[in-house]
Amino acid sequence: LLLTVALRVSAFPGERRWSRVMALYCAATAVTMVTLFWIVTADHIPTRDRFLPVMGTFTAHTAYWIVYLTYMLVVTSWTTFLFWRQILRVAAKVLRFALFALAVGTTSFLVFLGSRVVALFTTSPQVMTFGVYVSSVYSISVTVGCSLAIIMPLSQSVVQWWRANRLYAL
């Protein structure tokens, strides 16, 4: 969803074509992940904490994580690039701040995904704790960015309504 917002905000050429490609990529990823998840649970493949695969093995569970991380890294990288690129092109300060919050959020999610990649190859609990803190930055930034993006047009509508009502007597 954030990639769709980033494409629309940046007026990305060929947005409809990319929307179809994204939908197919998302659907293929979802079907693959559901299938792999079903295999992992049906075969009772052992997992580590937070549904991470057991180190030193390559199972359907490992493939699940590879599919998930690949999808998320591609989509989040593209989204982050579009948000950072668009910040200076927006004139309204509130929208610029909203885009900045979204860009910070998606950047922190890239760091979170990096911590998950590291978690695949280590058993250190600090990596998981770091991921939790970074994901909270993502949650807060995306909430603030989306809220500001919604509030600004609403507040502009209220101001325009107020001004129109003041002029009505003329």
Side-chain angles (χ1 to χ4, degrees):
L1 290 174
L2 283 178
L3 179 55
T4 303
V5 170
L7 287 170
R8 290 209 174 130
V9 166
S10 66
F12 194 78
E15 175 191 339
R16 288 180 190 231
R17 181 176 57 90
W18 280 109
S19 293
R20 278 186 245 122
V21 171
M22 283 185 326
L24 289 172
Y25 183 42
C26 180
T29 301
V31 167
T32 304
M33 287 180 66
V34 167
T35 304
L36 291 169
F37 182 82
W38 181 79
I39 291 169
V40 169
T41 54
D43 289 347
H44 302 290
I45 296 174
T47 64
R48 291 188 295 157
D49 188 30
R50 302 215 186 227
F51 199 65
L52 288 168
V54 176
M55 290 182 55
T57 62
F58 189 85
T59 62
H61 193 208
T62 309
Y64 170 92
W65 273 91
I66 291 170
V67 169
Y68 165 72
L69 289 172
T70 302
Y71 174 80
M72 292 305 294
L73 285 168
V74 167
V75 170
T76 306
S77 297
W78 194 12
T79 305
T80 303
F81 169 75
L82 290 173
F83 279 141
W84 281 114
R85 186 181 80 168
Q86 194 61 28
I87 288 174
L88 297 177
R89 296 178 182 178
V90 174
K93 289 179 183 177
V94 174
L95 277 181
R96 186 178 293 165
F97 184 75
L99 283 173
F100 177 74
L102 289 169
V104 167
T106 54
T107 301
S108 69
F109 196 71
L110 281 173
V111 175
F112 168 77
L113 291 171
S115 76
R116 288 302 178 249
V117 170
V118 171
L120 290 176
F121 301 105
T122 184
T123 57
S124 172
Q126 287 86 8
V127 174
M128 298 306 287
T129 304
F130 175 74
V132 169
Y133 290 126
V134 172
S135 68
S136 63
V137 172
Y138 167 78
S139 299
I140 293 167
S141 297
V142 169
T143 302
V144 168
C146 291
S147 299
L148 287 175
I150 290 171
I151 289 172
M152 185 179 167
L154 182 63
S155 65
Q156 286 177 342
S157 296
V158 169
V159 167
Q160 289 171 354
W161 174 82
W162 175 256
R163 288 176 182 162
N165 279 335
R166 286 182 50 206
L167 291 174
Y168 183 75
L170 295 175

